[in-house]
Amino acid sequence: MAAPSGTQQLPQEKFAEDLDELEESITALQVLYEKYFLGIDRRPPDHERKRVSTKIREMKEQMIRNTALKFRINTMFAKLLSFERMWDRTLREIEDGTYKRDVFKAKLRAGDRDEPRTGPVKPAAPSISDANLRRLYDTYVVARKRCGEATDGLTFDSMAARIRSQVPELMQKHKAKNIEFKVVIKGGKAILKAVPHT
């Protein structure tokens, strides 16, 4: 029995939406690993990796007739396996003491210095230290690169200045005592999300 138009989603449409979410989760997982490899986070994202890995394997086993969707899930699965091999290799290098984190940082930041001011950058926390701003900046740059967004012109100084100038307005608007900032992946793009605490 067919459901009325607009009241129920076709299974393949729901599957396609789940694939979109899964693709964003894989990109976010890349960002989390690079944060760990940069020394921004203290622990690797094992929990998130297990969640993404379980989800993609469950979806891969589902019966789906649409050839394009089958191809897409198989491609994403192969992509995740490739990432996992790279992450595990890097984790072994860290454990063995052969991983050169500073070299990784230098390569990541190559071309990010001495650039003109960039477009939209959102606020970070009130009275935020340079160290915290640097971690936020590093994470944001990694996320933008992983999402295929340009980082030309995105400098630490310009981002820090904009963040600090907008914090008072945000605190007044939300009547907040503190504001936490995090980098999130939304719609395939990296954004800085302000979370007010009242």
Side-chain angles (χ1 to χ4, degrees), residues 28-154:
L29 185 58
Q30 284 182 273
V31 172
L32 290 174
Y33 265 104
E34 295 205 21
K35 283 173 64 181
Y36 173 68
F37 296 150
L38 282 166
I40 297 169
D41 288 346
R42 300 181 68 177
R43 295 180 180 178
D46 295 333
H47 179 74
E48 180 64 10
R49 175 174 171 176
K50 183 177 180 181
R51 185 190 73 80
V52 171
S53 181
T54 300
K55 178 68 175 175
I56 197 169
R57 282 167 172 80
E58 287 175 353
M59 292 183 70
K60 194 171 184 294
E61 290 174 4
Q62 288 183 31
M63 295 296 293
I64 186 77
R65 295 181 180 179
N66 187 291
T67 306
L69 292 179
K70 273 186 180 180
F71 177 78
R72 188 177 172 199
I73 185 65
N74 287 332
T75 300
M76 288 172 62
F77 183 69
K79 179 180 177 182
L80 181 62
L81 287 179
S82 177
F83 285 145
E84 287 182 331
R85 284 193 293 269
M86 179 183 67
W87 296 331
D88 289 340
R89 184 172 64 249
T90 305
L91 289 169
R92 283 195 300 272
E93 288 178 1
I94 291 174
E95 189 174 329
D96 295 341
T98 59
Y99 181 65
K100 300 294 188 289
R101 180 170 287 149
D102 291 340
V103 173
F104 182 82
K105 275 188 183 182
K107 286 182 180 178
L108 189 67
R109 291 183 187 160
D112 288 340
R113 299 188 184 119
D114 302 322
E115 297 283 355
R117 293 178 65 182
T118 187
V121 177
K122 297 181 184 177
S127 304
I128 189 168
S129 68
D130 282 344
N132 286 336
L133 275 171
R134 173 60 70 180
R135 281 193 291 272
L136 187 65
Y137 171 78
D138 285 343
T139 304
Y140 186 53
V141 169
V142 167
R144 285 183 68 92
K145 288 184 176 182
R146 283 296 161 225
C147 291
E149 297 181 85
T151 57
D152 294 343
L154 180 60

Side-chain angles (χ1 to χ4, degrees), residues 166-181:
Q166 294 179 36
V167 165
E169 181 183 342
L170 266 181
M171 292 188 70
Q172 184 177 3
K173 178 181 177 181
H174 297 286
K175 295 180 169 47
K177 294 179 181 178
N178 187 32
I179 299 180
E180 179 187 358
F181 294 82

